[in-house]
Amino acid sequence: MEAYYELVDEIERDVERLRNESGGVPCPSTCFACCHNTATMAISEVEARDLKIGLQALPEQLRTHIRQKAERSIKKLEASGHNSESIIPDVDMEAVSVIRGKPEGECPMLIGGVCSVYEHRPVICRVWGYPINNGNELACCHKTFIGQRDRYRPLDYTRYWKVCQDLSTELGATEKTPNCYLVAQLLSE
């Protein structure tokens, strides 16, 4: 986990660089739009181990609430014929469309517009809102850096994700897990 925390520190430095270059935080504190359709987001094993620490630190009542949110997402997905194994390689994003824009699509850890595990959030949550290189294109939240995305050196999300995959492989896990399934599993252990 030490190597993962070194990566998180690097990400924080890269984000700080972009904040300084761009003049501040791109997202208002009242915006959590990026959390609305992330119940099926892929999470690597190394991120999951850190996430587990954050979840375990929460009060029991909050953990129960988060687990129930995850279970509602799973129930909706499975009622449409999807499961943990079919969601990750779902290139047509059919599973996402089942819950997009619905309460079941929201990240289970978003409580009242606040990330309940903020210090332990996955890598994509640490960089979204800023211009990122995702391996295919320059990506960014549609609400931030409008008309300015090309002015800044993007965060290297492709490399960050590769490091997470490599670290997960070192831990003996090569599979990614959809967010709602992972959270339900971590809170049922």
Side-chain angles (χ1 to χ4, degrees), residues 88-118:
I88 293 301
D90 183 12
V91 293
D92 294 331
M93 297 187 65
E94 186 181 315
V96 173
S97 68
V98 169
I99 57 176
R100 178 178 281 127
K102 297 176 178 71
E104 295 87 354
E106 184 176 279
C107 178
M109 296 163 289
L110 183 69
I111 307 297
V114 176
C115 179
S116 60
V117 291
Y118 187 80

Side-chain angles (χ1 to χ4, degrees), residues 67-132:
R67 189 187 77 249
Q68 290 170 345
K69 277 183 72 178
E71 289 169 350
R72 284 192 296 275
S73 298
I74 292 168
K75 184 176 179 180
K76 181 118 180 147
L77 288 161
E78 292 184 351
S80 294
H82 300 284
N83 60 40
S84 177
E85 290 78 33
S86 70
I87 291 172
I88 293 301
D90 183 12
V91 293
D92 294 331
M93 297 187 65
E94 186 181 315
V96 173
S97 68
V98 169
I99 57 176
R100 178 178 281 127
K102 297 176 178 71
E104 295 87 354
E106 184 176 279
C107 178
M109 296 163 289
L110 183 69
I111 307 297
V114 176
C115 179
S116 60
V117 291
Y118 187 80
E119 293 301 319
H120 300 275
R121 67 199 184 281
V123 169
I124 189 65
C125 303
R126 294 173 182 277
V127 300
W128 194 248
Y130 295 96
I132 64 171

Side-chain angles (χ1 to χ4, degrees), residues 3-179:
Y4 176 71
Y5 296 132
E6 288 173 9
L7 174 66
V8 168
D9 289 343
E10 176 187 338
I11 292 168
E12 293 302 318
R13 287 189 304 275
D14 289 348
V15 165
E16 185 63 27
R17 172 193 53 83
L18 250 177
R19 279 187 190 139
N20 291 334
E21 289 175 10
S22 65
V25 178
C27 310
S29 62
T30 57
C31 183
F32 47 91
C34 58
C35 306
H36 281 289
N37 295 305
T38 57
T40 58
M41 172 180 73
I43 298 178
S44 68
E45 177 64 25
V46 71
E47 292 171 298
R49 290 188 182 195
D50 188 48
L51 190 57
K52 183 176 184 177
I53 294 167
L55 288 166
Q56 288 177 331
L58 297 173
E60 177 64 32
Q61 185 178 13
L62 194 52
R63 288 194 310 265
T64 299
H65 177 75
I66 292 168
R67 189 187 77 249
Q68 290 170 345
K69 277 183 72 178
E71 289 169 350
R72 284 192 296 275
S73 298
I74 292 168
K75 184 176 179 180
K76 181 118 180 147
L77 288 161
E78 292 184 351
S80 294
H82 300 284
N83 60 40
S84 177
E85 290 78 33
S86 70
I87 291 172
I88 293 301
D90 183 12
V91 293
D92 294 331
M93 297 187 65
E94 186 181 315
V96 173
S97 68
V98 169
I99 57 176
R100 178 178 281 127
K102 297 176 178 71
E104 295 87 354
E106 184 176 279
C107 178
M109 296 163 289
L110 183 69
I111 307 297
V114 176
C115 179
S116 60
V117 291
Y118 187 80
E119 293 301 319
H120 300 275
R121 67 199 184 281
V123 169
I124 189 65
C125 303
R126 294 173 182 277
V127 300
W128 194 248
Y130 295 96
I132 64 171
N133 174 353
N134 70 4
N136 298 318
E137 62 186 357
L138 180 64
C140 192
C141 172
H142 71 280
K143 295 181 174 187
T144 62
F145 289 87
I146 299 167
Q148 303 177 44
R149 293 179 184 147
D150 296 344
R151 290 181 51 198
Y152 303 100
R153 182 170 45 106
L155 300 174
D156 194 359
Y157 178 71
T158 302
R159 194 180 73 67
Y160 304 152
W161 181 244
K162 172 96 171 77
V163 171
C164 287
Q165 290 175 311
D166 291 347
L167 292 173
S168 295
T169 300
E170 288 176 24
L171 293 170
T174 57
E175 300 298 315
K176 302 169 280 200
T177 308
N179 186 0

